[in-house]
Amino acid sequence: MKKNKTPILLFTLVLLAALLGGCGGAGSAAGGAADGAGRTAGGSAGAEPAQKASAVQPKSQTYFIFDTVVTVRIYDERAAEQNFKDLDVLLKEIDSRISRTDSSSEIYKVNANSGIAPVKVSPETFNLVAKALDYAKRTDGKFDPAIGNLVSLWNIGHEGAHVPPEEEIAEARRLTDYRKIELNEAAQEIYLQEKGMSVDLGSIGKGYAADRIYDYLADQGFHSAIIDLGGNVYAMGAKPNGDEWNIGIQDPGKERGNSIGTIRVKDKTIVTSGIYERFFIENGKLYQHILDPTTGYPVDNGISSVTIVTDKSADADALSTTLFVLGIDKGLEFIENTPNTEALFITKDKKLYATSGFKQLLHKTNDSYTFTN
Ligand code: ADP
Ligand code: MG
């Protein structure tokens, strides 16, 4: 049996976006609550009931990019149509730099020139690859941005995904090696030493985009916004009345928008990687989209989701993937050595493993999930 939920889910969300996400229209947020409560990190539609109406109605826009529904909601009367147009341009610009599949992108050119020649890229792309490489080094390659061959071989989240032949997995695994990514800082060049190697920034790109949106909004003088890239949430600043944002943590066992509880934060990013995002089922076994470079197979370690709370969304995104691959023990150890960062693991058997800081933040509303520590 094969099952692939993503296209249907995306279709539904796009439809929702088309119906509700008018350009800059006052307060027309897709599935959101009146005062910005109830974004669900790891989910897309807001789940929490609307709380007291706030004086400032958000202006919002929904985009579809990076294979994801992106919603930006600005809680400021000054937000104008032009801001949403600028964001559209910004998102397209990011995609046209870091997409693995768009043949005009910088990353595509880096991959196409693997084993042939270094490629000069923009400082943004260079720095993002450098950041991804840092995580690869810190995890001895459990997180590996050179994972493009495995990602395209498994094709998880796309139509027709199935378990590939063993020899193809072995070959893709051989080409997945961050130690063969050469960065030349002075020349701003990236060189992949082996022909056929492929960089994939799917683990960090959406977080990076959230940071870029944040910077744009800050630059325009906005202090209050919810930036949501398919569960990668940046809760910018505070609510217009100065209160904390209330962000739902997706229940990995339920449809998007159902939460296990909420966390109250100001100016933080909340990013979740979960098995429910992109997967297929073959012979009764679920294969999700985070891969273990050492085995070449999807990680299957009892984890349902990992949520990170920190200050930069690119880091949160990389970390959610990293901790997923590392597993609970090594993941918690890793996060202890990462400043200003909190993490929550949810297991398939509904246990919660959290850093002490996350435990303090979480207002759990679902009793079927229990803390183990
Ligand atoms: P999503 O984009 O669904 O939110 P994540 O942020 O968790 O997901 O990143 C998963 C994506 O990262 C995969 O779709 C793939 O492109 C890439 N990836 C998968 N496994 C790894 C890994 N071990 N290291 C780095 N990137 C990975
Ligand atoms: Mg990630």
Side-chain angles (χ1 to χ4, degrees):
M1 182 181 71
K2 287 185 193 171
K3 185 175 160 200
N4 196 328
K5 242 174 46 164
T6 311
I8 303 162
L9 182 72
L10 288 178
F11 175 73
T12 315
L13 290 172
V14 170
L15 195 69
L16 239 185
L19 289 171
L20 297 172
C23 183
S28 62
D35 65 350
R39 296 312 295 168
T40 309
S44 270
E48 308 304 308
Q51 297 184 353
K52 62 184 188 298
S54 96
V56 182
Q57 290 299 313
K59 295 186 182 172
S60 84
Q61 173 74 289
T62 296
Y63 311 86
F64 185 73
I65 196 159
F66 319 124
D67 234 1
T68 299
V69 178
V70 174
T71 303
V72 179
R73 221 174 316 148
I74 309 175
Y75 287 75
D76 195 313
E77 269 136 22
R78 294 168 305 160
E81 200 154 321
Q82 188 58 44
N83 297 124
F84 291 102
K85 283 188 185 151
D86 291 350
L87 287 173
D88 189 41
V89 172
L90 177 66
L91 288 168
K92 285 182 178 140
E93 180 212 301
I94 294 169
D95 194 43
S96 75
R97 286 192 170 150
I98 68 172
S99 164
R100 180 172 55 84
T101 50
D102 172 352
S103 62
S104 63
S105 86
E106 293 182 332
I107 290 298
Y108 188 97
K109 283 175 191 140
V110 167
N111 293 343
N113 281 285
S114 60
I116 301 172
V119 174
K120 188 173 164 62
V121 297
S122 61
E124 290 85 357
T125 301
F126 187 89
N127 293 336
L128 187 61
V129 173
K131 184 185 271 294
L133 211 46
D134 280 344
Y135 283 99
K137 286 176 188 154
R138 279 183 69 193
T139 58
D140 287 328
K142 283 285 190 185
F143 178 93
D144 192 336
I147 202 160
N149 280 283
L150 279 171
V151 174
S152 64
L153 179 63
W154 281 90
N155 200 26
I156 296 176
H158 300 280
E159 207 60 59
H162 61 274
V163 178
E166 198 58 54
E167 35 331 325
E168 290 182 28
I169 295 177
E171 175 60 4
R173 204 181 56 180
R174 194 183 64 76
L175 291 166
T176 301
D177 189 349
Y178 70 97
R179 291 166 302 187
K180 294 180 181 164
I181 303 178
E182 228 175 87
L183 295 187
N184 181 339
E185 170 119 49
Q188 295 282 295
E189 286 174 349
I190 305 176
Y191 178 52
L192 308 181
Q193 291 169 348
E194 187 141 359
K195 185 141 188 63
M197 276 180 76
S198 166
V199 166
D200 172 285
L201 298 174
S203 56
I204 191 170
K206 284 187 282 177
Y208 166 73
D211 289 333
R212 295 287 306 277
I213 295 172
Y214 183 107
D215 291 344
Y216 167 82
L217 294 177
D219 214 47
Q220 296 290 312
F222 299 120
H223 316 287
S224 188
I226 296 286
I227 303 160
D228 183 352
L229 295 89
N232 268 248
V233 175
Y234 207 127
M236 181 188 194
K239 287 185 189 175
N241 66 4
D243 283 356
E244 292 163 313
W245 299 105
N246 209 12
I247 306 294
I249 303 298
Q250 171 70 31
D251 179 340
K254 294 258 176 67
E255 291 294 303
R256 285 189 180 220
N258 290 288
S259 66
I260 66 147
T262 57
I263 59 172
R264 297 178 77 83
V265 290
K266 275 187 190 172
D267 213 29
K268 290 280 177 193
T269 181
I270 304 97
V271 172
T272 298
S273 284
I275 58 169
Y276 53 84
E277 286 172 22
R278 297 166 207 266
F279 65 86
F280 69 92
I281 292 172
E282 189 170 306
N283 294 327
K285 187 171 161 52
L286 186 148
Y287 297 86
Q288 57 74 38
H289 71 311
I290 296 176
L291 308 167
D292 184 340
T294 45
T295 64
Y297 278 78
V299 174
D300 181 14
N301 58 5
I303 294 173
S304 233
S305 72
V306 179
T307 300
I308 304 290
V309 179
T310 187
D311 299 321
K312 285 275 175 237
S313 211
D315 288 294
D317 199 0
L319 281 166
S320 66
T321 310
T322 294
L323 263 60
F324 200 106
V325 193
L326 288 180
I328 295 167
D329 293 342
K330 285 195 179 140
L332 285 173
E333 198 181 304
F334 189 93
I335 216 77
E336 265 167 30
N337 299 312
T338 308
N340 297 322
T341 307
E342 305 299 341
L344 171 73
F345 292 85
I346 306 181
T347 63
K348 288 181 189 164
D349 56 2
K350 301 195 167 184
K351 299 275 192 302
L352 306 178
Y353 295 80
T355 59
S356 54
F358 203 111
K359 207 171 168 182
Q360 274 172 18
L361 283 174
L362 182 68
H363 173 62
K364 190 162 72 71
T365 51
N366 187 327
D367 289 336
S368 60
Y369 288 88
T370 50
F371 278 110
T372 51
N373 58 344

